[in-house]
Each structure stands twice: as structure tokens, then as C-alpha cells.
Amino acid sequence: MVPLYVAMMLAYGSVRWWGIFTPSQCSGINRFVAVFAVPLLSFHFISSNDPYAMNYHFLAADSLQKVAFSRRGSLEWMITLFSLSTLPNTLVMGIPLLRAMYGDFSGNLMVQVVVLQSIIWYTLMLFLFEFRGAKLLISEQFPETAGSITSFRVDSDVVSLNGREPLQV
């Protein structure tokens, strides 16, 4: 763990104390990491995983933990708690730290969690965000009747939603 923390302190010092990197250079480094390094690292870990040798008890426990955290309160709190339980920094720091502390077995478990996150949990999170956005849009467009909308049906003789303009398709 020492090399990881030494690298983090050197990076902090090179910006904060020594002025080696400017904020725009830091932004470029962050963009490079987000666009190239993390996707390639994700691909490496996901492609090296054997789906037939996964620890299904561990994945079931991880899934149960996410479901248990996400079932409380409103949709916004559900998304927040689900984000916190789904989006930890497992890929960049979690796998190397676990392998250094507990050996390759724990690193392989974390790789399995990353695979499950990228296939199932991120997709579910995107669905929840889109559902929340659609719900907010409907309640803004129809403030007094949004709670009573249960289904949508378009008749062939509908002119428009407000009855004054022709329907644009």
C-alpha cells in the first residue's frame, strides 16, 4: 500500500506545493484516465474473468447487499444508496489493494464484482436515472394531473395534447 500512497502524495505535492502541473494539465490527465486508462483497465479485467469459475455465493451476497441498501425511502434516496453501494473505486484502487493485503483470491473476487457491476448494476442505474428523469418531466408537463396518469393511449383523431395545434410526429 505504501507505493500507492507515495504516488498519491507526490501527485498532490506536484500540483499544490511545487506547481509542476497546472490545473489545465490536471484536467487533461483526468480526461486521459477517464477516456483511455479506466476503460482499457476495465476491459482487461472483464476479459480475463472466467464466468464459469465465479463464486456465486459471493455474488449473491453482493447483490443482496445492494438490494437491501436500495429499498429504503424515495426514488432519489434509492438511487443515492444504490450508487454508493455500486460505484466504489474497485477497479483502480480496490483490486491492487486487496491483492496486496489478502492475496490473489480476494483480487479475483473483486474482479467478479467489477464484471457484475459493468453488466448488471450500471445498466440498472442508468434505467433508474432515466425513470427518475421521465417521472420529473411528466410531473413538470402535467403538474395537476401527473399523479393520476396510469397509462398513455394515442387515438387516431387526436390533434395535440392541448387541443389547439396539429399533432407533430
Side-chain angles (χ1 to χ4, degrees):
M1 289 180 31
V2 172
L4 181 67
Y5 286 111
V6 168
M8 287 181 0
M9 287 305 294
L10 286 174
Y12 179 78
S14 65
V15 174
R16 184 79 167 159
W17 302 317
W18 306 309
I20 295 173
F21 294 112
T22 65
S24 66
Q25 290 170 330
C26 292
S27 175
I29 293 170
N30 286 337
R31 185 165 170 81
F32 171 79
V33 168
V35 173
F36 293 108
V38 170
L40 289 175
L41 188 62
S42 299
F43 178 77
H44 168 71
F45 282 125
I46 291 169
S47 65
S48 66
N49 185 47
D50 182 11
Y52 299 109
M54 293 176 84
N55 187 337
Y56 295 109
H57 293 291
F58 176 73
L59 296 178
D62 181 61
S63 301
L64 184 64
Q65 171 256 338
K66 287 174 178 42
V67 170
F69 274 135
S70 301
R71 298 194 76 126
R72 297 200 171 110
S74 66
L75 180 64
E76 284 79 15
W77 273 108
M78 186 173 84
I79 291 172
T80 301
L81 292 173
F82 192 75
S83 298
L84 290 174
S85 66
T86 304
L87 301 174
N89 194 356
T90 55
L91 192 65
V92 177
M93 292 181 60
I95 294 172
L97 283 176
L98 281 176
R99 283 190 175 156
M101 291 189 304
Y102 302 114
D104 283 337
F105 176 74
S106 62
N108 291 335
L109 288 177
M110 193 57 67
V111 168
Q112 293 173 21
V113 168
V114 168
V115 169
L116 196 66
Q117 282 178 353
S118 63
I119 293 172
I120 295 174
W121 301 123
Y122 291 159
T123 307
L124 185 61
M125 274 244 313
L126 287 174
F127 172 77
L128 288 174
F129 278 124
E130 290 296 324
F131 180 74
R132 180 181 168 269
K135 190 175 169 184
L136 289 174
L137 180 67
I138 289 172
S139 66
E140 286 176 6
Q141 294 292 323
F142 309 102
E144 59 275 344
T145 60
S148 64
I149 296 175
T150 57
S151 66
F152 287 101
R153 190 185 81 226
V154 177
D155 293 328
S156 59
D157 61 343
V158 171
V159 197
S160 72
L161 291 175
N162 64 5
R164 289 181 228 132
E165 301 145 357
L167 185 62
Q168 299 292 324
V169 180

